[in-house]
Amino acid sequence: MADAVDPKESEHRSGRRRPSRRRVPVWWPLPACALVGLAAGGAYGVLKAPEYAATSFVVAVPDDTTEPATALGFAQAYGRIATSGSTLAYAQPRAGIGARQLRTQVRAETSPESPMIAITGTSKSPSGAADIANAVADALSLSSNQATKNTGVKLLLFSQAVAPTEPASPSAAISGAVGLCAGGLLGGLWLLARPGGRTRRRPEEPEAQPAVEGYASLPAQGEHADAKEKESVR
């Protein structure tokens, strides 16, 4: 019978090869998630309305009988009540919005090294942000100065808020870049946490046994020597 021809040898001789299937790389979630994050971040930056922020500054000034350290302590206290209900009730008529909405559009910041209070208002319009900041600053000054005789500290408007020219919210490019980084990070985490992410161990190969079977039937060197001595004696 003629030897069977190996199909691989026949393909090699004929020069034809079977079309190989292209496999999808295992790291495909990384660029896919990065692209999705880029698209989501860019869309968020484009569709969301820009937000403006304006800041006014109020300073605590001690009188002749009060130490500067006392003014610094009162500045910290007044910064905490800048967004309280009583202060916002004074600022509501000038700001032109409700107290609940005003609370979400204003924030106050203080510094432990300076008796300065920064009051920032945010709005979808530049003039609205400036009006909110100035309204809360004036309301805080009026309400706190009523107790100046007892505290020895007076609040003065140091700098009035001005309508900003550029929005404080991130642009579409920045939002897209943030989305790209976040998507790439999520894709990398998915690659690490997926069930088949770790390399599979190869099955252990059986240990090679020493080939001693062929030598088992051979006589030892001592047996050869004994046989030769017996033949010589005979």
Side-chain angles (χ1 to χ4, degrees):
M1 294 177 64
D3 296 337
V5 180
D6 190 358
K8 295 183 179 180
E9 294 181 359
S10 61
E11 291 177 2
H12 180 71
R13 293 175 181 176
S14 59
R16 298 179 182 179
R17 295 182 179 179
R18 294 181 180 179
S20 59
R21 298 180 180 179
R22 295 182 179 179
R23 297 181 179 179
V24 180
V26 296
W27 46 265
W28 69 266
L30 183 61
C33 292
L35 291 177
V36 172
L38 175 62
Y44 176 80
V46 171
L47 298 178
K48 184 183 178 182
E51 190 177 61
Y52 296 87
T55 304
S56 61
F57 295 92
V58 180
V59 61
V61 180
D63 58 11
D64 297 337
T65 61
T66 307
E67 297 180 358
T70 304
L72 181 60
F74 273 101
Q76 301 294 325
Y78 288 143
R80 295 187 182 92
I81 66 173
T83 57
S84 62
S86 59
T87 305
L88 297 181
Y90 280 106
Q92 181 180 353
R94 182 178 176 181
I97 57 178
R100 293 183 179 179
Q101 184 178 358
L102 181 60
R103 188 185 300 274
T104 61
Q105 294 182 224
V106 65
R107 67 178 183 271
E109 299 176 354
T110 58
S111 173
E113 300 177 356
S114 174
M116 189 83 67
I117 305 172
I119 300 174
T120 303
T122 58
S123 178
K124 295 182 180 180
S125 64
S127 58
D131 292 340
I132 291 174
N134 292 328
V136 176
D138 292 341
L140 180 63
S141 300
L142 292 175
S143 61
S144 61
N145 290 338
Q146 295 177 359
T148 301
K149 294 181 180 180
N150 299 326
T151 60
V153 176
K154 186 177 182 179
L155 286 184
L156 299 177
L157 183 62
F158 183 80
S159 177
Q160 192 174 13
V162 180
T165 57
E166 297 180 357
S169 57
S171 60
I174 297 177
S175 300
V178 173
L180 176 65
C181 297
L185 178 61
L186 291 177
L189 293 176
W190 188 88
L191 286 177
L192 294 175
R194 67 191 181 93
R198 299 179 180 178
T199 56
R200 298 179 179 178
R201 295 182 178 179
R202 296 181 179 179
E204 297 182 356
E205 298 180 356
E207 296 181 357
Q209 299 180 357
V212 296
E213 297 179 356
Y215 298 93
S217 60
L218 295 178
Q221 294 181 357
E223 295 178 358
H224 283 287
D226 295 342
K228 290 181 179 179
E229 290 179 358
K230 290 180 181 180
E231 290 180 358
S232 61
V233 171
R234 292 177 182 177

